[in-house]
Amino acid sequence: MTKRLASTFLTFLGLLALMVHAAVAQRPPEVLDVRSFGAKGDSALLDTDAINRAIEAAAAAGGGTVYFGPGIYSSFSIHLRSNVSLYLERGATLLAASPGDRPAGGYDAAEPGPNVFQDYGHSHWHNSLLWGENVHDISILGGGRIDGNGLDRNIVRDSPRMGNKAIALRNARNVVLRDFTIYRGGHFGVLATGVDNLTVDNLVIDTNRDGIDVDACRNVRIANMSVNSPADDAIVLKASYALNEARATEDVVITNSIVTGFAVGSVLDGTYRPFTEASADRDGPTGRVKIGTESNGAFRNITISNIVFDNSRGLALETVDGAQLEDITISNITMRHVSTSPIFMRLGARMRGPTGAPVGSFKRVTVSNVVAWDVDPRYAASITGIPGHDIEDVRLSNIRLYYRGGLTPEHFATQPADMVNSRVPRDSVPRAPYAVPERETAYPEPSALGILPAYGFYLRHVNGIVMDGVEVSFQREDRRPAFVLDDVRDAEFRGTRAQKAQGVPTFVLINVDGFRTRNSAPVVDMTLGKVVRREY
């Protein structure tokens, strides 16, 4: 062999070795079929042990995919492991078993709760159909279904057998949930606590309580969702004390999704039936996007865009336990048949957290390009802080709100029982004109303030607000003013339009310092300094 041929041959061998090495290095993780580990997929026999054996085998091999072919796999708690993906094939259903139907076994017991600063359900993860703690690089994929038939839709306390969440994650990173369906997800379809780098994409969730709860998480992408949750929130961001610290929820995108409040199962079957089940209050179906309620940590750097609301409550932004809520951008929202306030911003002082925490803050929020049709007339859009703690620097632009109307100032003054949330205390005496109770420590819900004195927007304890291209109107005559401002500083209205009944003012100003209108029919352009009380 000549030197040249030998050199060429050696080069060829070297390239071949590199190709073989690359092929081995890039070899996809092993796929493990749960049936190979004893799963039957016949809905009758429990497949819990077989599924968990398959997951453990994949984890022991350094990672892999656990495959569920067509069938119904009845199971109790399944333990997620790092570097392991679950793939639910179309036609595969992972069914949450009912402990009452099984003489032995049940879901993993709820671990001891870390504290009493949040609802019980936010403090436990193990009592779930699928759960993972201190895990990384996991995914649940495929066109199959998770059916939480055996999960309890209520908070389960001290029960070693019951489970109440479809998917629960605690202290995790690099998580992907994509393409599957959750039907009847229990108290939570997805509860993610302390999860960083979380992607939730193209899920259909049709459930009986919360759809997705994202709590104390960072770098979150929620996209292309359809969430039907008539008895609770559809997509909600929280920042509780469940991790024994006030950890922020930040760097979040929620986009291109639909949230609804139709009867459970009726989105999946395409019938979109009304929600007629007796609910916890009289506010109607929930099914909304919300930031807050559990609010010990901060909410920062969040964008919400391209969301359709139908037959649900409106958008809610709340901080009541000391959280800073800041740098939030919301755009391109359309709503129909809104059962409470279409835009609800609340800074309160429930302060459910460690003693000594200061009241939170609420600032730099922008909402644009919103249209809401057929809005409940009881609860105007509202932006309310509390005495000494203003909501600051809010910008609203290109907003159109169409209310059902039909109310009068007497409805506000007398608060008829059939129009007010039954869980909210009634006023002990009739209300004076425009006097809304503070209820600083109340649960943050539009109905906590009762029927409002304005039909369009009610603003109180606000410092710095611009409304540009905002229009409010009603289908039936409403004899309340369009806008009521109480203890507001630096308010500017540009290009605002408001339908009004004859003899009813458009604006009521109470203790306002700095008020400007420009091209806002039917009032004239004006610039005012301190105003004790005026009507225009």
Side-chain angles (χ1 to χ4, degrees):
M1 181 181 294
T2 66
K3 290 183 178 181
R4 185 174 182 179
L5 287 174
S7 176
T8 302
F9 182 67
L10 291 174
T11 300
F12 171 75
L13 289 178
L15 290 172
L16 182 62
L18 287 173
M19 293 171 62
V20 171
H21 174 77
V24 171
Q26 296 176 11
R27 184 178 61 190
E30 187 174 2
V31 175
L32 304 177
D33 192 321
V34 292
R35 291 181 184 269
S36 299
F37 291 80
K40 301 300 182 183
D42 62 0
S43 79
L45 298 177
L46 277 174
D47 290 324
T48 312
D49 292 342
I51 294 169
N52 281 318
R53 283 195 299 269
I55 292 172
E56 292 298 335
T65 298
V66 173
Y67 175 79
F68 295 75
I72 301 176
Y73 302 86
S74 183
S75 181
F76 290 124
S77 292
I78 295 168
H79 308 146
L80 303 174
R81 293 290 183 256
S82 297
N83 300 311
V84 176
S85 172
L86 306 187
Y87 190 90
L88 302 174
E89 186 64 82
R90 290 191 179 276
T93 296
L94 182 56
L95 177 67
S98 298
D101 299 335
R102 308 287 180 174
Y107 295 90
D108 293 348
E111 63 274 44
N115 53 62
V116 295
F117 297 137
Q118 61 279 320
D119 293 343
Y120 183 92
H122 296 87
S123 300
H124 306 281
W125 299 266
H126 295 182
N127 56 336
S128 305
L129 176 60
L130 295 129
W131 67 266
E133 184 173 0
N134 299 317
V135 293
H136 62 85
D137 298 284
I138 65 172
S139 58
I140 303 174
L141 311 170
R145 175 177 294 193
I146 295 171
D147 185 343
N149 179 61
L151 299 175
D152 196 299
R153 57 170 289 177
N154 299 306
I155 295 172
V156 180
R157 298 181 184 273
D158 304 321
S159 172
R161 291 174 54 86
M162 290 302 301
N164 71 343
K165 291 169 281 288
I167 301 171
L169 299 162
R170 181 176 188 263
N171 288 335
R173 68 180 191 277
N174 305 332
V175 175
V176 177
L177 308 176
R178 179 176 287 137
D179 293 340
F180 58 90
T181 294
I182 297 176
Y183 174 45
R184 298 179 295 193
H187 193 264
F188 300 89
V190 177
L191 173 62
T193 309
V195 179
D196 294 343
N197 304 334
L198 170 65
T199 297
V200 186
D201 181 29
N202 196 38
L203 301 192
V204 177
I205 301 177
D206 196 336
T207 189
N208 33 20
R209 290 296 299 274
D210 278 10
I212 302 172
D213 273 36
V214 173
D215 187 2
C217 298
R218 183 175 184 178
N219 195 7
V220 177
R221 299 163 301 281
I222 300 173
N224 308 312
M225 306 293 295
S226 177
V227 184
N228 184 59
S229 54
D232 222 317
D233 296 311
I235 302 172
V236 54
L237 305 181
K238 297 180 178 179
S240 75
Y241 212 80
L243 299 175
N244 279 319
E245 63 175 330
R247 191 176 194 267
T249 288
E250 56 190 340
D251 303 337
V252 178
V253 173
I254 303 174
T255 191
N256 296 346
S257 296
I258 300 173
V259 293
T260 56
F262 296 105
V264 176
S266 67
V267 168
L268 283 176
D269 67 19
T271 59
Y272 301 97
R273 299 184 306 277
F275 177 59
T276 58
E277 182 179 342
S279 58
D281 55 53
R282 302 178 186 178
D283 291 348
T286 312
R288 64 185 164 193
V289 176
K290 181 171 74 173
I291 300 175
T293 307
E294 306 289 343
S295 49
N296 301 102
F299 300 98
R300 291 191 293 255
N301 210 27
I302 296 167
T303 178
I304 301 171
S305 64
N306 303 340
I307 309 293
V308 171
F309 294 63
D310 193 2
N311 198 52
S312 69
R313 299 181 193 182
L315 180 75
L317 284 70
E318 310 162 353
T319 172
V320 295
D321 300 318
Q324 297 80 44
L325 189 154
E326 55 194 22
D327 303 320
I328 314 295
T329 299
I330 299 166
S331 62
N332 299 345
I333 307 294
T334 179
M335 307 179 188
R336 292 180 65 85
H337 314 307
V338 184
S339 56
T340 61
S341 174
I343 299 172
F344 178 67
M345 302 185 191
R346 177 62 168 166
L347 169 59
R350 180 179 64 174
M351 305 312 294
R352 190 167 65 176
T355 302
V359 174
S361 61
F362 191 124
K363 62 183 67 175
R364 297 190 302 278
V365 173
T366 300
V367 182
S368 63
N369 300 330
V370 176
V371 60
W373 169 260
D374 191 36
V375 180
D376 191 302
R378 296 172 295 174
Y379 312 120
S382 65
I383 303 173
T384 59
I386 57 177
H389 300 277
D390 293 343
I391 287 179
E392 304 176 60
D393 195 2
V394 174
R395 300 289 184 269
L396 305 178
S397 62
N398 298 326
I399 311 288
R400 291 187 289 171
L401 307 179
Y402 299 88
Y403 293 87
R404 294 175 202 148
L407 300 189
T408 68
E410 286 70 32
H411 288 104
F412 163 75
T414 57
Q415 300 288 293
D418 63 343
M419 298 189 73
V420 179
N421 182 335
S422 59
R423 296 188 300 173
V424 175
R426 292 285 307 282
D427 294 330
S428 58
V429 295
R431 293 181 176 182
Y434 311 119
V436 177
E438 295 285 354
R439 290 184 175 149
E440 302 175 30
T441 63
Y443 184 90
E445 193 65 45
S447 55
L449 300 178
I451 299 170
L452 292 173
Y455 83 81
F457 275 87
Y458 176 73
L459 313 178
R460 183 170 61 183
H461 309 309
V462 177
N463 185 0
I465 181 164
V466 175
M467 292 196 185
D468 189 351
V470 172
E471 179 182 345
V472 296
S473 59
F474 43 72
Q475 299 172 47
R476 296 168 54 206
E477 183 180 81
D478 199 304
R479 297 200 59 80
R480 295 170 296 167
F483 301 93
V484 172
L485 284 66
D486 186 351
D487 187 30
V488 174
R489 290 183 291 282
D490 188 19
E492 182 169 344
F493 291 77
R494 309 170 189 156
T496 301
R497 298 288 184 272
Q499 188 176 3
K500 65 188 293 293
Q502 185 174 4
V504 176
T506 299
F507 288 94
V508 173
L509 310 182
I510 304 168
N511 299 320
V512 172
D513 188 355
F515 176 78
R516 297 174 297 281
T517 61
R518 297 291 183 270
N519 191 31
S520 294
V523 301
V524 299
D525 290 0
M526 67 182 81
T527 299
L528 304 175
K530 291 186 178 180
V531 175
V532 176
R533 176 164 173 168
R534 291 189 189 178
E535 298 181 359
Y536 296 95

